[in-house]
Amino acid sequence: MNLKDLWLAIIKDLSKDVQRANVITWFKNTALLSAEEGVLTIGLPLPVFLNWHAQNYAGITLKTAQKHNPDIKEIAYEVDITLSEKDPRVIDLLKYFPEKTTRKLPGKPEVKLSGGVISKMFNQRYSLDNFVIAPENRLAHAAAMTVSKYPGENYNPLIVYGGVGLGKTHLLQAIGREILRNDPSKMVVYCTTENFTNELIENIQLRNMNKFRNKYRKIDVFIIDDIQFIANKDRSQEEFFHTFNTLYESGKQVIISSDRPPHELNLMSERLVSRFESGMIVDVKMPDYESRLAILRNKCQEAQVFINEKVLEFIAFNIDTSVRALLGVLNQVIAHYELENLAPTVKSVSEIIKRSKKEVKMVGFIKDDPTPHRAVTLDQLTDYVSEYYTIPKSEVLGESRAREYLLPRQVIMYLAKTKLGFSLAKIGQALGNRNHTTVMHAIGKMQDMMRNDRQLLCNVNAIAKEAGIH
Ligand code: ADP
Ligand code: MG
């Protein structure tokens, strides 16, 4: 099925759940741009469609698309304001959804845009809310908040600089999204410096420079990421300089990121540097330990996985180069967890970290003796389990039926029986002289619970692995 037919099939299906008027309004002049590697890229004719689609139709579009092609895993949007009735990729919706009554929607001001600006969909993952504020980036975050509320006013241009993986793209995209959310008729363009340069070269070759200039000069908010890549590209610098000036002089917001402060950028034009320096310049640095931990906790919550606090502390303690590296480790940990049903432990995570980093700091995380001993006695197993749940061994062996002690006790009983083959009587005896029927019930209960509680299953597997009895 070609892209156009697929798109028509999807829209027809969708229309069973979406009112005709909405289908016509929001799917008009849209097109399926590509379906590659599980990603369906949908072209939208106006920036104002972006938020609307993302919030209202992304889920149902994905679900419907999957009915036609189960390989599709994701939906991406791209604004391409050249999309119109005349475009061969666009479907004439009125032909397939003929009007039944002629009802006019209350007149809304028409949004007119110049042709040809392509703005990549803002990544839904980046928002100002999920940016963790640390002392090292507080100012950058505050400036981002202000600019997203009052674009083109006091902080113009806004320049965010700092090393790789420290949140520049996150902030830039979040500002763009927020501005669009506040006013969907604004034309917000986010582009990487690479995009800008490539597009420029293309347009020079096609002798389209007037078109190129016009479209960049008609936007309201211009966000350009990683401006350092413009060094040594004289023609790009020149073109950027003109674009920047036009926008700046007509009070349009410009937001720029860079890996270094403006005066270190080696730009040809001193005037541009001084313009940059007259704006708001903020930097982002590596967040401190507490903030790193907060970032990890947030991400776990977002991903809806529960990871032992000790393990998160261990990652935060060890990864201090960039937030990207920090999240990279967390993602690997989560992947292992999901693939193997095995809750991560400090030990297993240190193996992951070792792959990318020579030295792993263990101080304060595990006992000095790093070689795991196989737990063969009930006493050793009890040690492992109490340590895992960080509770005193005496309580595990004691009388208390509080859940925090009861559960570890049941875990020991279960592992002692299923992994080490001890008799019920022996297990009962070792665990504070309990009756063998108590042990039997506990094991049955554990089996039930593990069937329904994946978290518990993962924890029990992790303990067994640490104790060398997996
Ligand atoms: P840069 O553009 O500076 O190289 P990114 O913006 O791509 O870095 O950030 C890398 C990753 O770290 C992204 O997934 C981003 O969401 C995340 N990140 C960076 N800083 C923070 C923060 N303060 N709070 C939450 N996530 C962050
Ligand atoms: Mg970036």
Side-chain angles (χ1 to χ4, degrees):
M1 201 189 277
N2 69 29
L3 289 174
K4 196 170 174 182
D5 290 344
L6 176 60
W7 191 221
L8 178 61
I10 293 172
I11 298 179
K12 276 186 173 165
D13 247 352
L14 262 170
S15 70
K16 291 173 196 150
D17 296 306
V18 178
Q19 278 183 19
R20 177 187 174 277
N22 285 330
V23 172
I24 301 289
T25 309
W26 296 108
F27 288 81
K28 189 175 156 193
N29 295 344
T30 60
L32 204 53
L33 302 182
S34 67
E36 280 160 14
E37 292 172 10
V39 183
L40 206 62
T41 304
I42 296 160
L44 303 175
L46 291 171
V48 24
F49 278 41
L50 264 183
N51 285 338
W52 195 265
H53 268 263
Q55 276 163 25
N56 297 291
Y57 299 129
I60 183 170
T61 307
L62 178 63
K63 240 196 302 178
T64 314
Q66 282 169 336
K67 271 192 231 155
H68 294 274
N69 181 351
D71 294 337
I72 295 166
K73 298 280 176 300
E74 254 182 272
I75 300 271
Y77 294 104
E78 218 174 283
V79 174
D80 181 349
I81 59 181
T82 60
L83 284 172
S84 71
E85 289 95 318
K86 293 193 198 100
D87 194 304
R89 296 167 299 180
V90 166
I91 296 162
D92 177 8
L93 285 183
L94 288 178
K95 193 169 118 198
Y96 296 98
F97 302 93
E99 225 159 344
K100 287 179 192 120
T101 53
T102 43
R103 195 155 38 102
K104 216 172 163 244
L105 293 165
K108 284 207 174 145
E110 224 186 316
V111 196
K112 278 234 173 74
L113 295 164
S114 60
V117 171
I118 298 186
S119 121
K120 283 264 182 218
M121 162 81 171
F122 290 110
N123 194 323
Q124 295 294 318
R125 287 203 317 257
Y126 301 139
S127 72
L128 288 173
D129 284 342
N130 72 7
F131 188 83
V132 173
I133 304 170
E136 292 78 5
N137 60 31
R138 177 166 291 134
L139 188 61
H141 183 262
M145 293 284 276
T146 309
V147 168
S148 63
K149 277 206 200 87
Y150 311 106
E153 294 192 13
N154 293 332
Y155 296 164
N156 203 13
L158 171 66
I159 301 186
V160 183
Y161 77 91
V164 284
L166 295 178
K168 300 184 296 297
T169 298
H170 185 134
L171 280 177
L172 260 56
Q173 291 235 343
I175 301 172
R177 269 184 67 195
E178 189 62 23
I179 293 177
L180 265 181
R181 208 172 63 112
N182 293 337
D183 182 355
S185 71
K186 277 238 154 62
M187 181 126 135
V188 180
V189 170
Y190 166 91
C191 75
T192 61
T193 301
E194 211 188 345
N195 291 152
F196 183 84
T197 309
N198 288 343
E199 215 189 324
L200 175 71
I201 295 169
E202 232 167 73
N203 280 286
I204 293 174
Q205 283 165 351
L206 297 171
R207 298 176 194 286
N208 264 344
M209 281 312 293
N210 273 342
K211 204 177 124 209
F212 178 85
R213 287 185 186 137
N214 282 339
K215 80 190 199 192
Y216 271 102
R217 289 167 197 184
K218 277 188 186 150
I219 57 196
D220 297 306
V221 179
F222 183 37
I223 307 177
I224 183 154
D225 207 351
D226 288 324
I227 197 77
Q228 72 273 9
F229 293 128
I230 215 166
N232 305 325
K233 294 186 181 125
D234 292 356
R235 182 70 200 270
S236 299
Q237 279 190 39
E238 199 180 304
E239 211 47 55
F240 175 76
F241 182 59
H242 291 304
T243 308
F244 176 85
N245 274 339
T246 317
L247 292 172
Y248 180 81
E249 270 152 23
S250 45
K252 305 297 177 57
Q253 179 72 48
V254 179
I255 307 165
I256 300 167
S257 85
S258 159
D259 71 347
R260 64 202 79 168
H263 63 273
E264 289 176 19
L265 273 171
N266 268 333
L267 298 180
M268 322 186 295
S269 157
E270 276 305 316
R271 259 177 71 210
L272 187 57
V273 176
S274 70
R275 281 262 156 107
F276 281 4
E277 288 185 330
S278 70
M280 176 71 174
I281 305 177
V282 290
D283 66 344
V284 284
K285 291 206 207 70
M286 186 61 183
D288 61 6
Y289 168 77
E290 281 77 16
S291 311
R292 298 204 291 272
L293 194 52
I295 291 173
L296 292 172
R297 286 194 195 120
N298 272 10
K299 287 286 158 187
C300 288
Q301 221 167 29
E302 254 173 42
Q304 300 195 322
V305 288
F306 173 83
I307 289 178
N308 194 314
E309 190 64 18
K310 237 192 325 183
V311 169
L312 295 184
E313 286 169 10
F314 181 68
I315 301 174
F317 183 67
N318 268 285
I319 309 293
D320 55 7
T321 48
S322 80
V323 180
R324 185 173 298 142
L326 186 73
L327 296 177
V329 169
L330 181 68
N331 284 338
Q332 289 184 58
V333 169
I334 293 176
H336 274 263
Y337 183 12
E338 293 187 333
L339 290 174
E340 297 170 31
N341 272 343
L342 203 61
T345 60
V346 167
K347 255 185 238 158
S348 68
V349 171
S350 73
E351 292 304 317
I352 292 177
I353 297 179
K354 267 185 209 152
R355 274 185 236 146
S356 57
K357 197 176 162 208
K358 279 190 209 91
E359 210 186 326
V360 179
K361 293 177 276 184
M362 289 288 204
V363 193
F365 282 100
I366 48 171
K367 287 194 207 146
D368 290 339
D369 181 1
T371 45
H373 288 296
R374 201 177 125 80
V376 280
T377 66
L378 272 162
D379 194 46
Q380 284 166 336
L381 180 62
T382 311
D383 282 337
Y384 269 104
V385 175
S386 356
E387 202 186 310
Y388 186 87
Y389 284 101
T390 51
I391 50 168
K393 192 174 172 186
S394 57
E395 294 289 356
V396 180
L397 300 175
E399 294 295 316
S400 167
R401 294 191 48 82
R403 192 182 138 83
E404 59 195 298
Y405 307 129
L406 189 60
L407 182 72
R409 200 178 292 142
Q410 289 166 335
V411 171
I412 298 172
M413 292 174 177
Y414 169 79
L415 288 173
K417 180 76 196 145
T418 58
K419 300 287 182 188
L420 297 176
F422 284 105
S423 71
L424 297 175
K426 190 95 194 260
I427 296 171
Q429 201 182 20
L431 287 174
N433 266 329
R434 289 175 158 84
N435 187 293
H436 79 275
T437 51
T438 312
V439 179
M440 196 170 70
H441 280 131
I443 294 173
K445 180 107 195 291
M446 272 302 292
Q447 281 163 335
D448 271 356
M449 286 194 295
M450 281 165 58
R451 256 193 296 277
N452 301 317
D453 182 347
R454 179 140 176 273
Q455 179 65 49
L456 178 64
L457 172 71
C458 293
N459 287 338
V460 172
N461 285 343
I463 294 167
K465 183 141 191 219
E466 284 227 331
I469 54 175
H470 192 43

